[in-house]
Amino acid sequence: MTASPEMAVGSQTLDFDSLVVLLEQVFQRNGTSAEVAAILARNCAGAERDGAHSHGVFRIPGYVSTLASGWVNGKAVPVVEDVASGFVRVDAGNGFAQPALAAARDLLVHKARSAGIAVLAIRNSHHFAALWPDVEPFANEGLVALSVVNSMTCVVPHGADRPLFGTNPIAFAAPRAGGEPLVFDLATSAIAHGDVQIAARKGERLPVGMGVDSLGQPTQDPKAILEGGALLPFGGHKGSALSMMVELLAAALTGGNFSFEFDWSNHQGAKTPWTGQLLIVIDPSKAAGQGFAERSEELVRQMHGVGLKRLPGDRRHQQRARSLEQGIELDGQVLAELRELAGG
Amino acid sequence: MTASPEMAVGSQTLDFDSLVVLLEQVFQRNGTSAEVAAILARNCAGAERDGAHSHGVFRIPGYVSTLASGWVNGKAVPVVEDVASGFVRVDAGNGFAQPALAAARDLLVHKARSAGIAVLAIRNSHHFAALWPDVEPFANEGLVALSVVNSMTCVVPHGADRPLFGTNPIAFAAPRAGGEPLVFDLATSAIAHGDVQIAARKGERLPVGMGVDSLGQPTQDPKAILEGGALLPFGGHKGSALSMMVELLAAALTGGNFSFEFDWSNHQGAKTPWTGQLLIVIDPSKAAGQGFAERSEELVRQMHGVGLKRLPGDRRHQQRARSLEQGIELDGQVLAELRELAGG
């Protein structure tokens, strides 16, 4: 594959499958089982493919570090519990959340189609990835999906002095007749933690209202946020209320830890929040009226009609199409490091 | 009941039950059935009791106007459809949403306790009240509840030029061991429509970022928003994405109208959006680990520990306690108008 003219000097392209294979090697060599490696590699390569750089290969050193610390069990085998006709639980066994979802997925879909709605409560899990890859596949099967995951104390509740909540994202996906599903994944913090890390690395300042420094004072310096500071919720008391809801759904309702409950101080290099995740999947074929996907397509038409240029998820879907055609562009140095981590 | 010293001149107090009876008379005299009157009166008096003035007796002229216009059927009898083990539908019959919820409530709770989660999809309904009264009672029974309702085109999607979405609130309630449930009800618009109306009536200006005038220009004048202008979503693209989700859940998933689909131009005086409402109820006793209410109480302890003075719902619960002790204070003129509307 040849480099396109606008490509930065020193970058290289890989096709999606090659990146997945490389990342599988990285994960397996650094302590995961083959099963876990396959799931995490596909997830991480997918984020990179879709231009979601803060959750792409940028995360690999964090994965390696947290695995090396012994904080997370990369070989955990999730235990699925069939609790009720609409309720599935998974004990992720101190492993990653994505293999837990994968283990329960068929049962969850079966229940959602049968009962009309079903919930998956994952506990004892580490989620270190974007959330939209967890919901989008349901929409591709005609289902509506909502997921929340709590993370680690770094967000000051609106009206409080000190951080308590995690960045606590909410992701949603719904099918659509005329195109890719409608998908969003939003941190209930004013900015995602990964984006703060990327800004710090690039030496960029943040917009106003994203966070506070270690003294609780507003700051636009990403390093001041990362070094003892904290984030603010998006949208004031409303985003803060939603973040509280995420704690209740992802932790209290799963049996997982709240964002403030785990202590990784004995695990130097630990990076992954040890919490819980909730997914709700609804079968819209149970709804009255016209088919859901046609209805969501009508909403899309109307959104375009009032001047909306870009739908939630559009940018990712467009980048995905480009990446699948032209390959995934990676910085040469980053690629060399990945190959090193993969064992050469 | 004697007036308290700090009471404004011309105000009077009523106890809750007396206000309910008065409002029942208002509703019945203005076109609802006794059953619908009982439900709406309790709902509206409850908002007034809890200090939620924008959804209290302030709404009564709107109810009367919309009933007089023939736009809504105040005598509609909801039809409940048992679709699946976790899915209930209600055709509200062009009536109000609250009687539809009341008609399906027992079945919904039964399904949630049995399946672990259940969804109620109300369509062909008018919701003109606060949303938290719909979810809070579930939390009082130990259940977790989430509801969304779409309304009428008045919010410009982030990145668009013209309004499309409704104010599209999201309400959530969760039980708590040590006190009143955790409850919030937030418009996905930057401000609730009722609050704009109240500001306009009082001649007050709004904070920056709430809305635009009829030319799409930012304005702080509530009248400019009401007269051909529009609201903005809260929290930029994130609130906008949530508002889109509300359209999909409350309309596409129920068979109800989107906020832009109904045409009340032939019903002079019509005020109530003719859309849909979705409720999701989860039984947390199906969750792993410690009891949910103890876990949410722990979250509350920690929120207080980081300096949070007021929890979501606190202000309403405190005002409720005061109102139940001291009565509900109403402006004398308002009370006279209510009695007039009640035929007295």
Side-chain angles (χ1 to χ4, degrees):
Chain A
M1 187 165 291
T2 54
S4 62
E6 71 276 18
M7 196 171 289
V9 176
S11 70
Q12 296 186 40
T13 55
L14 279 184
D15 63 36
F16 178 68
D17 290 339
S18 300
L19 181 56
V20 170
V21 168
L22 175 60
L23 296 181
E24 275 186 349
Q25 290 166 346
V26 171
F27 281 113
Q28 266 198 267
R29 192 178 164 96
N30 288 276
T32 78
S33 64
E35 293 76 15
V36 169
I39 290 166
L40 294 184
R42 185 160 284 273
N43 177 292
C44 184
E48 192 67 34
R49 171 199 67 202
D50 292 4
H53 299 297
S54 62
H55 291 91
V57 299
F58 173 75
R59 292 265 156 169
I60 292 296
Y63 274 114
V64 169
S65 166
T66 206
L67 283 161
S69 77
W71 170 244
V72 59
N73 179 2
K75 294 174 177 166
V77 177
V79 176
V80 178
E81 301 160 274
D82 185 342
V83 183
S85 67
F87 206 117
V88 185
R89 299 194 307 222
V90 189
D91 181 345
N94 193 33
F96 291 101
Q98 290 78 14
L101 168 55
R105 199 176 185 290
D106 286 353
L107 183 59
L108 178 65
V109 168
H110 174 77
K111 285 184 185 292
R113 292 204 190 279
S114 165
I117 187 170
V119 61
L120 173 62
I122 300 172
R123 68 186 184 279
N124 201 6
S125 54
H126 298 249
H127 201 292
F128 196 57
L131 197 53
W132 55 265
D134 297 354
V135 292
E136 186 170 321
F138 293 101
N140 286 326
E141 294 178 54
L143 300 165
V144 173
L146 181 70
S147 185
V148 291
V149 59
N150 64 321
S151 54
M152 58 187 171
T153 292
C154 63
V155 172
V156 182
H158 185 79
D161 308 316
R162 294 179 299 287
L164 183 71
F165 299 149
T167 52
N168 295 5
I170 300 173
F172 175 79
R176 190 189 143 199
E180 296 284 349
L182 287 164
V183 184
F184 66 76
D185 173 2
L186 57 89
T188 54
S189 53
I191 185 169
H193 216 264
D195 289 327
V196 179
Q197 292 171 280
I198 284 182
R201 177 180 286 200
K202 290 184 177 174
E204 292 173 353
R205 284 171 72 76
L206 299 172
V208 170
M210 303 289 110
V212 296
D213 64 19
S214 60
L215 301 173
Q217 297 302 310
T219 183
Q220 292 182 255
D221 178 0
K223 286 182 184 158
I225 290 173
L226 296 174
E227 293 163 8
L231 304 175
L232 293 171
F234 92 99
H237 75 276
K238 295 185 181 184
S240 190
L242 291 168
S243 189
M244 180 192 77
M245 178 184 79
V246 173
E247 293 288 344
L248 291 168
L249 294 178
L253 201 55
T254 65
N257 288 320
F258 287 123
S259 294
F260 52 83
E261 284 186 317
F262 55 87
D263 176 10
W264 55 19
S265 58
N266 287 328
H267 294 268
Q268 190 73 31
K271 299 283 184 191
T272 49
W274 179 34
T275 59
Q277 177 180 9
L278 195 85
L279 285 105
I280 294 172
V281 178
I282 308 177
D283 179 3
S285 75
K286 300 290 191 290
Q290 204 185 348
F292 181 91
E294 283 73 34
R295 294 286 287 149
S296 63
E297 185 63 26
E298 169 64 9
L299 181 62
V300 167
R301 264 194 297 276
Q302 296 286 337
M303 287 192 284
H304 285 146
V306 296
L308 195 71
K309 298 284 185 300
R310 203 172 71 208
L311 300 171
D314 263 3
R315 188 151 46 177
R316 278 196 298 273
H317 293 134
Q318 287 160 8
Q319 182 58 47
R320 182 181 307 170
R322 272 195 299 274
S323 294
L324 292 177
E325 199 187 315
Q326 302 169 10
I328 300 168
E329 184 184 331
L330 288 175
D331 178 85
Q333 176 67 27
V334 167
L335 191 56
E337 286 166 12
L338 290 176
R339 289 186 170 134
E340 175 79 23
L341 287 170
Chain B
M1 185 166 295
T2 53
S4 61
E6 72 278 18
M7 197 171 290
V9 176
S11 70
Q12 295 185 40
T13 55
L14 279 184
D15 63 34
F16 178 68
D17 290 340
S18 302
L19 181 57
V20 171
V21 168
L22 174 61
L23 295 182
E24 275 186 347
Q25 291 167 346
V26 171
F27 280 114
Q28 265 199 268
R29 193 179 164 94
N30 288 277
T32 77
S33 64
E35 293 75 15
V36 170
I39 290 166
L40 294 185
R42 185 159 285 273
N43 176 293
C44 184
E48 192 67 32
R49 172 199 66 201
D50 293 2
H53 300 296
S54 63
H55 290 92
V57 300
F58 171 77
R59 291 266 158 166
I60 292 295
Y63 274 115
V64 168
S65 166
T66 206
L67 282 162
S69 77
W71 171 243
V72 60
N73 180 3
K75 295 175 177 164
V77 177
V79 178
V80 177
E81 301 159 274
D82 185 343
V83 184
S85 66
F87 206 117
V88 186
R89 300 194 307 220
V90 190
D91 181 345
N94 194 34
F96 291 100
Q98 290 78 13
L101 168 55
R105 199 177 184 290
D106 286 352
L107 181 60
L108 178 64
V109 168
H110 174 77
K111 284 182 185 294
R113 292 205 191 279
S114 165
I117 186 170
V119 59
L120 173 62
I122 300 172
R123 68 185 184 278
N124 201 6
S125 55
H126 297 248
H127 202 290
F128 197 55
L131 198 53
W132 54 264
D134 297 355
V135 292
E136 186 170 321
F138 293 101
N140 287 326
E141 294 178 53
L143 300 166
V144 173
L146 181 71
S147 185
V148 292
V149 59
N150 64 320
S151 55
M152 58 189 172
T153 292
C154 63
V155 171
V156 182
H158 185 80
D161 309 316
R162 296 180 298 286
L164 183 71
F165 300 149
T167 52
N168 296 5
I170 300 173
F172 175 80
R176 189 189 143 199
E180 297 284 349
L182 287 164
V183 184
F184 66 78
D185 173 2
L186 58 89
T188 53
S189 52
I191 185 169
H193 217 265
D195 289 326
V196 179
Q197 293 172 281
I198 284 182
R201 175 179 286 198
K202 290 185 176 173
E204 291 172 355
R205 283 171 73 74
L206 299 173
V208 170
M210 303 289 109
V212 295
D213 64 19
S214 60
L215 303 174
Q217 297 301 309
T219 183
Q220 292 182 257
D221 177 1
K223 286 182 183 157
I225 291 174
L226 296 173
E227 292 163 7
L231 303 175
L232 293 171
F234 93 99
H237 74 277
K238 295 185 179 184
S240 190
L242 291 168
S243 188
M244 179 192 78
M245 178 185 79
V246 173
E247 293 288 345
L248 291 168
L249 294 178
L253 201 56
T254 65
N257 287 321
F258 287 124
S259 294
F260 52 83
E261 285 186 318
F262 55 87
D263 176 10
W264 55 20
S265 57
N266 287 328
H267 293 267
Q268 189 73 31
K271 299 282 183 193
T272 50
W274 178 34
T275 59
Q277 177 180 10
L278 194 84
L279 285 105
I280 294 172
V281 178
I282 308 177
D283 179 2
S285 75
K286 298 290 189 292
Q290 204 186 349
F292 181 91
E294 283 72 35
R295 294 286 287 149
S296 63
E297 185 63 26
E298 169 63 10
L299 181 62
V300 167
R301 264 194 298 276
Q302 296 286 337
M303 287 193 286
H304 286 146
V306 296
L308 196 72
K309 299 282 185 298
R310 203 172 71 208
L311 301 171
D314 264 2
R315 185 149 50 177
R316 280 196 298 271
H317 293 135
Q318 287 159 8
Q319 181 59 46
R320 183 181 306 170
R322 272 196 298 275
S323 294
L324 292 176
E325 197 186 316
Q326 303 169 9
I328 300 167
E329 185 183 332
L330 289 175
D331 178 86
Q333 174 69 24
V334 168
L335 190 56
E337 286 166 12
L338 290 176
R339 288 184 170 136
E340 175 81 23
L341 287 170

